[in-house]
Amino acid sequence: MSQNDDKNAPLPRTERDAALKWAKDFTAYMAEASGAELVPTTEKVNFEECTGAHDELAEDGRYSLFYYVYSSAPSTQHTQMVRTLRDSLQKHGYKVTDYREFKDAYSSALLWAENEKNNYRVMAETVGSGKTKPQRFSFAVRTPCMLPPGVKQQQF
């Protein structure tokens, strides 16, 4: 059974530091592949508790990571960036789940993809309205629920 079918299926095991290193490395890869330069001061790291289908919370240390960082690439480049990333991510085993090219502040560039083998999700998109906040390009990753090595997985 897959993890989606069995709520007690073994979770992938990764230290938080290793998950964060992967997130930083992968967003840097996405930026480089799309020709963007990251703005390190915009980095956000969010380790989150995993919740079950019925809002169960485990007490075994499981977590997921949501990480993002911006680029100051102008919106005139966002369509080319998502096109390039779409092709690159598909070559790396990611399935594109949502895609849109930049039209304006209300219909901005968007690329969401998921690796079906490990359930890692990546997002690249225009952020900011361009009116009250500058438009930037965000590179983000979200891990599936993971468990630190050496911890006994709680069963439900």
Side-chain angles (χ1 to χ4, degrees):
M1 282 185 141
S2 75
Q3 187 177 334
N4 294 333
D5 297 333
D6 179 3
K7 64 182 174 183
N8 289 314
L11 295 172
R13 293 182 178 266
T14 304
E15 292 285 352
R16 286 178 182 234
D17 289 344
L20 181 57
K21 181 181 182 327
W22 173 83
K24 289 181 177 190
D25 289 349
F26 205 82
T27 52
Y29 157 75
M30 290 193 302
E32 184 177 330
S34 65
E37 207 170 299
L38 296 176
V39 180
T41 57
T42 63
E43 170 188 75
K44 297 291 182 209
V45 178
N46 298 299
F47 284 100
E48 302 166 344
E49 292 182 339
C50 300
T51 57
H54 303 288
D55 294 326
E56 308 95 345
L57 282 176
E59 296 176 5
D60 56 9
R62 63 183 72 185
Y63 68 91
S64 66
L65 169 63
F66 178 63
Y67 172 87
Y68 67 90
V69 61
Y70 294 154
S71 163
S72 58
S75 61
T76 55
Q77 295 176 4
H78 294 187
T79 291
Q80 186 57 46
M81 292 168 70
V82 293
R83 285 178 184 165
T84 302
L85 278 175
R86 177 185 58 193
D87 296 341
S88 180
L89 289 170
Q90 287 174 331
K91 290 176 186 171
H92 283 87
Y94 282 81
K95 177 183 176 188
V96 173
T97 58
D98 205 354
Y99 177 83
R100 180 177 62 221
E101 295 183 357
F102 187 89
K103 290 188 177 72
D104 56 37
Y106 299 102
S107 185
S108 56
L110 170 84
L111 171 67
W112 294 355
E114 182 174 4
N115 186 308
E116 294 178 323
K117 291 182 182 175
N118 60 21
N119 295 320
Y120 280 60
R121 292 178 291 174
V122 298
M123 291 80 51
E125 59 192 311
T126 304
V127 294
S129 67
K131 294 178 182 174
T132 59
K133 294 183 179 180
Q135 285 185 314
R136 295 181 174 187
F137 198 79
S138 172
F139 297 95
V141 297
R142 181 175 291 281
T143 68
C145 190
M146 299 192 287
L147 197 63
V151 175
K152 183 177 181 191
Q153 183 173 332
Q154 183 178 340
Q155 301 293 299
F156 292 97

